Amino acid sequence: MAARRRPGGTPGSPNSKFTQQELPACKPILTPKWVISVFVLVGVIFVPIGLVSLKASRKVVEIVDRYDDACVPANTTDKLAYIQNPTISKNCRRTLKVPKDMDAPIFVYYQLDNFYQNHRRYVKSRSDAQLRDPKKANDTSTCDPEGTANGMAIVPCGLIAWSIFNDTYGFVRNSKNLPVDKKDISWKSDREHKFGRDVFPKNFQNGSLIGGKTLDPNKSLSEQEDLIVWMRTAALPTFRKLYGRIHNDLKKGDTITVTLENNYNTYSFSGKKKLVLSTSTWLGGKNDFLGLAYLSVGGLCFFLAFAFTLLYLIKPRKMGDNNYLSWNRNPAGR
């Protein structure tokens, strides 16, 4: 059998253009002028983007109020006993001052600190098949230790659903209620594809230890958006989740009275709870990191361009003859 002919070489020869990596390719020569120009170009692009992003972030108005300690009665020494005692009222009233005009919609978040939703055992304690399909109601093999209660399957099962956040907030301004819209606070893809319209809570929070909020057994899981928001676990121990929206403008100097129920137990793991009211811009919520990152990279590029320019002017280096580069040499002259 004849040997297969390789491009640019004799049959069986290892000296083909392919084996010798001599196929046509872009091989730029990084001269000082090219390098300096690229650094300047990147700086010119990144610095304005950083300034615009930072300006957009600074336009966001936020009110952050930590209430987990403030809502504990003054004469309470054992916070854990307080939160676990159902006979003690958990109602609490907080007063917030609006620092700047806040245009609707105003997003209401709850923030938890030191809560590791990314813990491996916690993340795995759920049944996605059960959440989607009513025929999989008994599929609780991955939900330990919250798979069954009183000998029956829990729907939705698992630690994530069991520990759903259950503090509530009500807002009043000038003796008038500020309604909180809780519709469409979850991802549309989650409502339509991950949580079934014909799957209903069953035997939920009926065990000996209650984790968090109870669910309406007459509403399907796709309608229970607080659950859907909570089930999308956070990657970091400090996170915010959307509670609802206020469709009323708030003016600078307005006083907002918040009536809340301090139900959720963060005292057992030294966690913190915060209520956040925030506006948004085209870039989203308040986040200076993106703008600072662009400014940092752009500034670094300008600095390197300046440093290389000085080096090139003070101590220039003679460039070699490009004709001696391997891809510029005449093959016949080898």
Side-chain angles (χ1 to χ4, degrees), residues 276-292:
V276 181
L277 302 182
S278 175
T279 60
S280 66
T281 63
W282 60 270
L283 195 61
K286 191 175 185 64
N287 185 3
D288 292 345
F289 174 79
L290 184 63
L292 293 175

Side-chain angles (χ1 to χ4, degrees), residues 23-89:
L23 293 176
C26 178
K27 301 173 181 178
I29 300 174
L30 298 179
T31 62
K33 292 181 180 179
W34 265 106
V35 173
I36 293 170
S37 300
V38 169
F39 277 129
V40 171
L41 179 63
V42 173
V44 168
I45 295 174
F46 274 44
V47 169
I49 293 177
L51 291 173
V52 172
S53 301
L54 198 59
K55 183 178 179 181
S57 177
R58 296 293 170 86
K59 284 185 178 180
V60 174
V61 183
E62 274 192 357
I63 303 174
V64 181
D65 179 53
R66 180 184 174 185
Y67 63 89
D68 55 289
D69 283 340
C71 286
V72 177
N75 57 349
T76 301
T77 56
D78 191 343
K79 296 178 182 179
L80 187 58
Y82 151 77
I83 200 69
Q84 292 178 340
N85 190 341
T87 63
I88 301 177
S89 174

Side-chain angles (χ1 to χ4, degrees), residues 102-171:
M102 302 179 71
D103 297 330
I106 299 168
F107 297 88
V108 181
Y109 300 93
Y110 56 87
Q111 177 176 319
L112 297 179
D113 295 2
N114 202 37
F115 191 115
Y116 288 83
Q117 272 199 319
N118 59 352
H119 191 283
R120 181 173 176 270
R121 187 179 183 189
Y122 184 88
V123 171
K124 293 182 66 176
S125 185
R126 62 185 294 165
S127 174
D128 290 318
Q130 185 200 63
L131 297 173
R132 291 190 301 264
D133 189 353
K135 297 178 182 179
K136 302 288 186 178
N138 294 322
D139 185 3
T140 62
S141 58
T142 59
C143 293
D144 289 340
E146 291 296 324
T148 59
N150 304 319
M152 296 185 295
I154 300 173
V155 181
C157 66
L159 282 173
I160 305 177
W162 172 82
S163 61
I164 179 174
F165 189 77
N166 63 342
D167 285 5
T168 60
Y169 310 110
F171 302 90

